[in-house]
């Protein structure tokens, strides 16, 4: 039986930029949505329990020193330094004296855990929250999922998506958000394993049947210095045992059905609209009263269908049929037909 060979995986310190680069803009407390410290516009930043610190940490355990650590600019990045604190500072579980921070870095100061965030990482966090949940009991799971995604990009750690949704499109959406549209992504069905590996290079292979193909892919990449990244899709968490992969070197994210999250739909829509406006460069959605009522009444099959509908609607309301068509690579007549259907009081 083969296994995931560590020789195919870059060093944990071999960070790749994408949305996990060094352009960190804030530190956010683990498991919170918005308890964050903005770093933009500051020079040296002190961190500790003292009121004199620019970032004052409240640590009930008392393990955070009064002047525990400091951040200082290093080019366009931030360097974190431990100030000879009593209990030390760790980044991604490793004790540090100084370390250049990367997006997603998990920082522990005393018993307080912080996450370094770039703007790209913040956008990815909102996408993950839309995928798995906004409720208070899901906040830590969102952060755990983000660490799995970071390991997937930077260390080529295999990623499992679990659930009853149509998972390959979700895998493609995550891949594009993390690595950009220019990096190859393919869904493997029945073509030859070696051909798939050779065609992707260092891109991502989404494997929809792990039980059938997972072990064969592991064998195909043995000895490769720069192997592809893998996302394995499983329709259920039952019998989820990646037996061929070292324990601790695999990430898993469970995706609940969108239909089970009706109570969160308003927040899901609001977050999606915010991201779509940011990416489109538009200032407001310009939804009509009918649009907002219709959105609240519809039952979307999955998050990607919701995103597509909101994107089309924002573009149509702002740019009209021709402008929207040019953005989504459709004809103006096709966009107008979609809008006519949208204006009928029925499910799309």
């Amino acid at each position: 039986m083969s296994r995931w060979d560590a020789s195919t995986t870059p060093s944990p310190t071999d960070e790749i930029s994408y949305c996990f680069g060094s352009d960190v803009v804030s530190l956010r407390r683990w498991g919170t949505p918005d308890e964050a410290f903005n770093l933009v516009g500051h020079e040296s930043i002190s961190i500790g329990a003292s009121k004199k610190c620019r970032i004052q940490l409240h640590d009930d355990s008392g393990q955070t020193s009064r002047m525990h650590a400091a951040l200082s600019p290093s080019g366009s990045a931030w360097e974190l330094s431990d100030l000879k604190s009593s209990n030390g500072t760790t980044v991604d579980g490793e004790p540090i004296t100084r370390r250049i921070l990367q997006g997603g870095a998990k920082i522990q100061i005393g018993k307080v855990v912080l996450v370094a965030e770039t703007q790209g990482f913040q956008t990815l966090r909102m996408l993950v929250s839309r995928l798995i949940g906004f409720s208070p009991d899901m906040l830590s799971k969102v952060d755990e999922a983000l660490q799995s995604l970071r390991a997937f990009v930077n260390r080529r750690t295999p990623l499992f998506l679990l659930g009853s949704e149509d998972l390959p499109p979700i895998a493609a959406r995550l891949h594009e958000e993390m690595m950009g549209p220019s990096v190859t992504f393919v869904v493997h069905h029945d073509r030859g394993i070696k051909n798939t590996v050779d065609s992707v290079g260092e891109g991502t292979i989404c494997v929809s049947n792990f039980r059938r193909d997972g072990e064969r892919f592991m064998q195909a990449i043995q000895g490769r210095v720069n192997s592809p990244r893998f996302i394995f899709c499983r329709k259920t968490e039952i019998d989820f045992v990646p037996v061929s992969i070292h324990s601790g070197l695999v990430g898993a994210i469970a995706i609940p059905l969108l239909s089970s999250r009706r109570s969160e739909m308003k927040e899901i829509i609001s977050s999606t609209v915010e991201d779509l406006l940011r990416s489109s460069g538009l200032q407001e959605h310009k939804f009509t009263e009918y649009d907002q009522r219709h959105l609240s009444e519809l039952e979307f099959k999955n998050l990607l269908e919701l995103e597509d509908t909101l994107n089309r609607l924002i573009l149509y309301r702002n740019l009209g049929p021709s402008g929207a068509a040019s953005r989504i690579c459709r004809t103006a007549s096709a966009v107008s037909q979609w809008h006519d259907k949208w204006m009928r009081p029925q499910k799309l």
Side-chain angles (χ1 to χ4, degrees), residues 115-183:
V115 183
E117 295 197 313
T118 63
Q119 289 184 339
F121 187 88
Q122 291 171 343
T123 301
L124 179 64
R125 172 162 58 86
M126 294 310 296
L127 172 59
V128 172
S129 295
R130 292 197 295 273
L131 285 170
I132 69 176
F134 286 96
S135 62
D137 62 321
M138 294 301 295
L139 294 175
S140 290
K141 291 183 178 180
V142 168
D143 273 323
E144 290 165 4
L146 288 164
Q147 292 301 312
S148 293
L149 294 175
R150 182 169 168 242
F152 164 79
V153 171
N154 291 333
R155 301 176 59 186
R156 292 181 172 81
T157 299
L159 177 68
F160 281 80
L161 296 182
L162 313 171
S164 298
E165 288 278 17
D166 185 12
L167 297 173
I170 293 174
R173 180 73 173 83
L174 287 168
H175 164 91
E176 182 172 356
E177 192 67 57
M178 292 185 289
M179 303 178 69
S182 63
V183 180

Side-chain angles (χ1 to χ4, degrees), residues 62-293:
Q63 295 186 35
T64 297
S65 298
R66 290 179 59 77
M67 301 292 288
H68 195 111
L71 285 167
S72 56
S74 179
S76 61
W78 286 97
E79 182 177 63
L80 177 67
S81 302
D82 183 76
L83 300 178
K84 298 182 179 179
S85 62
S86 300
N87 295 295
T89 301
T90 67
V91 175
D92 297 327
E94 297 181 0
I96 60 107
T97 301
R98 15 180 109 242
R99 175 72 60 86
I100 297 293
L101 292 181
Q102 303 283 341
K106 186 177 180 181
I107 304 159
Q108 182 156 349
I109 295 175
K111 287 294 185 181
V112 177
V113 178
L114 305 171
V115 183
E117 295 197 313
T118 63
Q119 289 184 339
F121 187 88
Q122 291 171 343
T123 301
L124 179 64
R125 172 162 58 86
M126 294 310 296
L127 172 59
V128 172
S129 295
R130 292 197 295 273
L131 285 170
I132 69 176
F134 286 96
S135 62
D137 62 321
M138 294 301 295
L139 294 175
S140 290
K141 291 183 178 180
V142 168
D143 273 323
E144 290 165 4
L146 288 164
Q147 292 301 312
S148 293
L149 294 175
R150 182 169 168 242
F152 164 79
V153 171
N154 291 333
R155 301 176 59 186
R156 292 181 172 81
T157 299
L159 177 68
F160 281 80
L161 296 182
L162 313 171
S164 298
E165 288 278 17
D166 185 12
L167 297 173
I170 293 174
R173 180 73 173 83
L174 287 168
H175 164 91
E176 182 172 356
E177 192 67 57
M178 292 185 289
M179 303 178 69
S182 63
V183 180
T184 303
F185 175 91
V186 300
V187 178
H188 174 80
H189 294 294
D190 296 315
R191 63 181 296 190
I193 298 287
K194 185 177 184 302
N195 289 339
T196 300
V197 171
D198 290 342
S199 68
V200 171
E202 295 183 56
T204 298
I205 300 173
C206 176
V207 182
S208 56
N209 191 330
F210 172 76
R211 187 181 296 278
R212 183 190 68 191
D213 297 326
E215 195 67 34
R216 296 163 63 201
F217 271 109
M218 297 303 99
Q219 293 170 355
I221 63 169
Q222 291 298 309
R224 286 179 178 254
V225 176
N226 295 313
S227 64
R229 295 166 178 82
F230 287 94
I231 300 179
F232 297 110
C233 297
R234 294 293 300 270
K235 282 295 183 183
T236 176
E237 293 186 56
I238 298 174
D239 297 329
F240 168 63
V241 184
V243 293
S244 64
I245 301 174
H246 287 309
S247 176
L249 288 180
V250 60
I253 302 175
I255 311 291
L257 288 169
L258 187 63
S259 60
S260 69
R261 301 174 58 205
R262 292 295 299 174
S263 63
E264 295 183 292
M265 192 55 63
K266 185 176 180 180
E267 194 164 10
I268 293 170
I269 290 174
S270 175
S271 170
T272 305
V273 168
E274 183 180 336
D275 276 356
L276 290 171
L277 288 174
R278 186 186 303 114
S279 63
S280 67
L282 298 171
Q283 298 301 310
E284 55 181 324
H285 55 69
K286 297 187 177 180
F287 292 163
T288 65
E289 184 177 332
Y290 170 84
D291 293 336
Q292 300 195 50
R293 185 176 67 254

